Amino acid sequence: MSAPTARRGAGHASCHHGEILQGVFLDAAGRRCAGLVTLPMTGMGSRAEFTRRPGTPPEQLTVLPVDRTKAARAAALTVEECAPLRREPPCGGELRITGDIPVGLGMGSSTSDVIAVVRAVADSYGVRLAPGTVARLAVRAELACDPLMLDARPVLFAQREGRVLEALGPCLPPLVVVGCALGGGAPVDTLALPARTYDESDVRAFERLRALLRRAVATGDAALLGQVASASARRGQQLLRHPEFDTLAGIGRRLGALGVQIAHSGAVAGLLLDPAAPGLRHRVRGCVRALESNGIAATRVFTTFTTFPPVPPVPPVPSIPTVPTTKEFPSGPAHRGGHRPARPDTPRRPARLPAL
């Protein structure tokens, strides 16, 4: 049999726009575990290309940009996973990562990198890994991950364990989201925040929100989802303490938003609107103007659906200022830390969201 030859694989992963719900929940065995439900967002993502070099030692792995240490770990772990499936010894190779996800806003940029890399390495072996395997490798690479490998399906996900606690349904209710960035887009270093402990009353409260969200997804009730997101965001403020949060919530109430959502490990946030409500164009414009007039950077309008009539155009909004450089914490994000720094050699746009 001839020796295996070099083969290139490619992978892609999208991002999210923070969380709809995050807290501590009970699994099927009644055990407490951290969990979250993310708000999916398409249009931005990470892309990876991996060229494997059979016959080279597995530690001979080059990565561009060189600071993507979590992605490099993911590549090595995926080689170990896939090589035996092809009855080949693990080998080295070249990995290149590009993308346009803003860094440090809590949009899952590091997880997107990791999942894109896992998919690229698997593709180079001609292997398609199951989402559960991708999640397991992602957690091993960065200690916690977002459920981006599930491609926007709403699930309650145990981010530190890489497993689904509950599949909530096929899709979220239709929503229009007016995105913004609190604190001028500066990253939130949640490692610097005091660790929060949860008692039985907290767990009961999170379980009530979980039940309401389950019902909202099952019935397509966007208003109920907005209530859950707002309650979760307000609970998150007990730790994050964004000074503009009350202003954001007030804008939402005044302009008829269904609720607000935030990233529990970053600065991104959003006003949730009902696309079926009358005057959507006026409502979106009003939200953008109110945010800007209160010093909150409006960033992007997007939807949770693809088959509904398109969102009406609104005036362009300024981009978010570049996010200051942050350290990639060796402990992994675990939704308590920042993302990797944006460096001059990084083929990723500065940390800013596209205008509308």
Side-chain angles (χ1 to χ4, degrees), residues 30-46:
R31 185 177 63 89
R32 287 189 192 182
C33 56
L36 51 79
V37 180
T38 55
L39 177 62
M41 185 177 73
T42 59
M44 290 185 286
S46 296

Side-chain angles (χ1 to χ4, degrees), residues 290-311:
L291 290 170
E292 294 295 333
S293 66
N294 282 276
I296 301 174
T299 54
R300 193 181 196 197
V301 176
F302 64 98
T303 70
T304 60
F305 50 84
T306 57
T307 58
F308 203 82
V311 179

Side-chain angles (χ1 to χ4, degrees), residues 19-346:
E19 285 74 40
I20 296 171
L21 175 62
Q22 182 165 342
V24 174
F25 305 89
L26 300 178
D27 66 9
R31 185 177 63 89
R32 287 189 192 182
C33 56
L36 51 79
V37 180
T38 55
L39 177 62
M41 185 177 73
T42 59
M44 290 185 286
S46 296
R47 291 162 290 280
E49 289 187 358
F50 179 72
T51 303
R52 59 184 173 98
R53 302 294 183 188
T56 62
E59 62 271 15
Q60 192 172 317
L61 176 67
T62 60
V63 183
L64 289 176
V66 295
D67 67 318
R68 300 295 199 267
T69 55
K70 296 171 187 174
R73 285 198 296 271
L77 291 168
T78 309
V79 167
E80 291 177 3
E81 183 80 21
C82 294
L85 299 177
R86 289 289 180 240
R87 298 183 179 179
E88 297 178 20
C91 66
E94 292 87 44
L95 177 65
R96 180 179 292 273
I97 305 164
T98 58
D100 55 3
I101 304 173
V103 178
L105 294 184
M107 298 176 69
S109 56
S110 61
T111 293
S112 182
D113 277 1
V114 164
I115 293 174
V117 166
V118 170
R119 289 172 170 169
V121 174
D123 185 51
S124 76
Y125 281 94
V127 171
R128 188 176 182 87
L129 298 175
T133 302
V134 176
R136 172 172 55 82
L137 294 171
V139 168
R140 289 183 64 191
E142 58 171 344
L143 300 188
C145 70
D146 297 304
L148 300 177
M149 74 292 297
L150 299 173
D151 296 327
R153 282 176 289 169
V155 298
L156 179 62
F157 189 76
Q159 69 269 26
R160 295 190 181 100
E161 302 174 29
R163 64 188 178 102
V164 175
L165 298 176
E166 181 179 355
L168 298 170
C171 60
L172 292 174
L175 291 168
V176 171
V177 184
V178 180
C180 64
L182 305 179
V188 174
D189 180 5
T190 49
L191 282 179
L193 298 174
R196 175 141 184 229
T197 58
Y198 296 98
D199 58 24
E200 287 297 328
S201 65
D202 291 315
V203 176
R204 287 194 297 271
F206 286 126
E207 284 293 327
R208 285 194 294 271
L209 292 177
R210 173 185 183 175
L212 291 174
L213 183 57
R214 180 190 303 125
R215 190 171 80 197
V217 173
T219 61
D221 190 335
L224 183 56
L225 184 147
Q227 295 174 26
V228 172
S230 295
S232 179
R234 192 163 292 282
R235 278 185 161 269
Q237 291 311 300
Q238 297 173 10
L239 193 66
L240 296 172
R241 301 187 184 281
H242 290 299
E244 313 100 321
F245 179 79
D246 287 338
T247 300
L248 176 68
I251 292 171
R253 287 192 298 270
R254 188 170 72 252
L255 296 177
L258 301 176
V260 299
Q261 60 87 212
I262 63 168
H264 288 251
S265 61
V268 74
L271 294 168
L272 308 179
L273 304 181
D274 181 358
L280 178 61
R281 181 194 299 266
H282 174 75
R283 211 177 295 268
V284 171
R285 287 177 181 270
C287 287
V288 171
R289 289 169 179 156
L291 290 170
E292 294 295 333
S293 66
N294 282 276
I296 301 174
T299 54
R300 193 181 196 197
V301 176
F302 64 98
T303 70
T304 60
F305 50 84
T306 57
T307 58
F308 203 82
V311 179
V314 294
V317 298
S319 298
I320 298 175
T322 300
V323 171
T325 297
T326 58
K327 181 180 178 182
E328 182 182 80
F329 297 99
S331 60
H335 287 269
R336 286 190 50 75
H339 294 277
R340 65 195 175 271
R343 294 171 48 169
D345 61 348
T346 302

